[in-house]
Amino acid sequence: MLTLGIDLGTTKTAAVLFDAGSPDAAQALSAEHRAALPSAPGHAEQDVSAICSSVLHLLRQFPPDRLARVDAIGLTGQMHSVLLCRGDEVSPLVTWQDRRASAAGHLDEFRRRSGRPLSDGFGAVTLAELAQNGELIHWERAATLPGWVAARLTGDPGSAASDPTFAASWGIFSPETGGWDTEAANALGIPGHMLPRILPSGSEAGRTHGVPGIPDGVPVMVPIGDNQASVLGTARDLDRELFLTLGTGAQLSFVLTPQQAAGIKLPPAAELRPFLDGKLLAVAAPLCGGKAWAWLGDTVNGFLRALGLPPLPEKQLLDSLDAMALQSDAASNLQVAPHFLGERHAPGEFGSIRGITLDNFTLPNLAAALAAGIVRGLAETFPSELYRGRTCVAGSGNAVRLCRSIQREIERQFSLPLEIRSVREEAALGAAKLAAQRR
């Protein structure tokens, strides 16, 4: 069976052709979609048509004979985000990086009205802010980006659906009922008819109609969140591994049964997310992961420009910083907290550097402290006893693959071996695997 997985990420799109009979021979393609739109301070929006064009560009690169043999399509993509549609008209995508509710001073009010621990960038927060400003009147429905694309693949863009993984990311999903928390939606001024229908994860959303290169009638699965899809794409043993991904943001995830989850008191920086087959994911997801490492390179080049010196090529610079970190003074006592984008649970918490003396603020020490801080923001979120019985940290994302100082910190702080999985485009692969399983 040949399945197609599509990932609609924050900065790029990815597509994977997966053959269940030859799982190690998956063909993966990706491209930056460059969909970011100029927007007001605190706003984060993307051009939906640019993202769709990027997907079509990727599909045209697959061998036509293989694409014509696709038996099912799975989708995933950036969670929390929301778009609005009316007929064929679609709004910009408001992404998880949006901060307009906090900028307007409304986030605490939305939390109070809904009785839920909402955060900036959650779909429900975006919709509540739009409702407050009278901006929902023009639109008929709200949708996730992958849900809307899935509906477009079936030729019926008005039928966009969500699964529990995406619905939970909007902040007003009720695990008890498996549906939307209508009381919270009403309290936020969100009309119930605008919310997408919720279907089980891995169920069929419809069948293809008019998709270039793919036959009509191919099942299109309801999209699953990119966190859950990445775990599926990476896992060898779902119940015994820790899953750590460093992309733009960062995610530490591990699978729990409801019974295991019942005994956990989660800190504010963590959450339980729906997974598959009644299980849950315990997740820590700082907003700045690999982006924090890139920040250091950007900052060094910024200093060079300010001195009238030419900047260094990005890869060369980041590799040099990594090498410096490995040779740093282990007793420097320098500490970096890389909350450079704030955090969902604490929007006003930003990055800091502590322990600076006259002697220790060197570039190698700073790089090493940053690598340690990136991993610490994940490892210290949960009590260490929750990691007992886990056999390894399954690492993915370019910051894990390419940065040896981060690799060192993962093994040191988790006291577990790091296994860097060789799979490419984990989320798209996970969506393709789920489509194969449920097909």
Side-chain angles (χ1 to χ4, degrees):
M1 175 185 292
L2 197 62
T3 57
L4 172 66
I6 298 172
D7 176 25
L8 309 169
T10 307
T11 58
K12 69 178 183 180
T13 56
V16 169
L17 280 178
F18 173 73
D19 186 344
S22 303
D24 294 331
Q27 182 180 1
L29 299 171
S30 65
E32 291 190 15
H33 52 59
R34 306 185 188 280
L37 292 169
S39 53
H43 292 214
E45 298 181 352
Q46 293 182 343
D47 181 352
V48 174
S49 63
I51 297 173
C52 291
S53 296
S54 180
V55 172
L56 292 175
H57 171 71
L58 291 180
L59 295 185
R60 285 193 293 268
Q61 295 182 56
F62 285 118
D65 60 324
R66 296 199 79 207
L67 206 58
R69 290 171 40 220
V70 165
D71 294 306
I73 300 174
L75 293 101
T76 185
Q78 51 176 298
M79 298 161 69
H80 306 292
S81 306
V82 62
L83 59 80
L84 300 165
C85 46
R86 178 188 179 96
D88 290 332
E89 184 183 2
V90 63
S91 73
L93 176 73
V94 182
T95 80
W96 58 274
Q97 296 172 316
D98 195 85
R99 299 289 177 270
R100 69 186 67 190
S102 283
H106 296 154
L107 183 58
D108 287 340
E109 177 191 348
F110 293 158
R111 289 170 172 168
R112 178 185 57 77
R113 280 161 47 183
S114 67
R116 287 183 160 268
L118 299 173
S119 297
D120 271 322
F122 281 17
V125 171
T126 297
L127 291 172
E129 183 66 23
L130 295 173
Q132 184 118 335
N133 298 331
E135 297 178 56
L136 291 184
I137 298 173
H138 174 73
W139 303 102
E140 295 175 346
R141 294 172 304 282
T144 69
L145 173 63
W148 184 80
V149 171
R152 285 290 299 267
L153 294 176
T154 69
D156 185 8
S159 65
S162 178
D163 84 326
T165 66
F166 267 108
S169 77
W170 278 16
I172 54 170
F173 173 71
S174 170
E176 294 77 19
T177 66
W180 297 107
D181 181 341
T182 53
E183 289 188 9
N186 289 337
L188 293 170
I190 303 170
H193 68 84
M194 293 197 73
L195 296 171
R197 59 195 175 122
I198 298 177
L199 298 177
S201 299
S203 60
E204 187 177 308
R207 303 227 163 187
T208 54
H209 180 76
V211 181
I214 297 176
D216 286 351
V218 173
V220 178
M221 304 304 175
V222 179
I224 185 172
D226 59 356
N227 178 196
Q228 291 83 349
S230 292
V231 168
L232 286 174
T234 306
R236 291 175 185 161
D237 187 339
L238 277 172
D239 298 313
R240 301 190 66 199
E241 297 176 333
L242 298 175
F243 304 97
L244 191 154
T245 298
L246 290 178
T248 302
Q251 290 174 334
L252 172 68
S253 310
F254 51 101
V255 178
L256 297 172
T257 65
Q259 293 75 23
Q260 291 171 320
I264 294 178
K265 181 174 176 57
L266 289 178
E271 60 182 301
L272 288 176
R273 295 177 176 177
F275 193 55
L276 300 172
D277 303 321
K279 294 183 178 181
L280 300 165
L281 275 187
V283 181
L287 296 179
C288 220
K291 182 71 172 176
W293 188 252
W295 161 85
L296 182 58
D298 292 341
T299 300
V300 171
N301 269 337
F303 289 164
L304 291 175
R305 291 188 188 94
L307 292 168
L309 300 172
L312 294 170
E314 181 182 39
K315 185 179 186 308
Q316 175 188 337
L317 175 56
L318 293 179
D319 287 347
S320 296
L321 292 169
D322 187 27
M324 290 180 194
L326 294 172
Q327 302 299 320
S328 68
D329 178 5
S332 75
N333 293 320
L334 206 61
Q335 290 190 355
V336 178
H339 308 294
F340 303 132
L341 294 171
E343 299 296 352
R344 290 189 179 95
H345 67 284
E349 182 179 0
F350 293 106
S352 63
I353 303 173
R354 300 179 58 190
I356 300 174
T357 69
L358 290 174
D359 304 314
N360 71 351
F361 196 62
T362 66
L363 201 49
N365 289 346
L366 179 59
L370 177 59
I374 291 169
V375 178
R376 186 184 307 112
L378 296 163
E380 294 186 356
T381 301
F382 298 102
S384 59
E385 57 264 25
L386 290 181
Y387 303 143
R388 290 177 190 153
R390 306 287 164 170
T391 57
C392 71
V393 178
S396 60
N398 283 339
V400 175
R401 288 194 189 96
L402 303 177
C403 189
R404 292 173 296 159
S405 56
I406 287 178
Q407 295 170 13
R408 180 180 67 178
E409 286 298 325
I410 290 171
E411 293 197 325
R412 184 181 70 83
Q413 295 192 38
F414 285 97
S415 298
L416 287 169
L418 170 66
E419 293 187 9
I420 301 176
R421 299 291 152 85
S422 60
V423 298
R424 292 181 55 210
E425 306 304 341
E426 297 87 355
L429 177 60
K433 284 184 174 181
L434 181 61
Q437 292 169 7
R438 300 306 163 109
R439 180 74 177 101

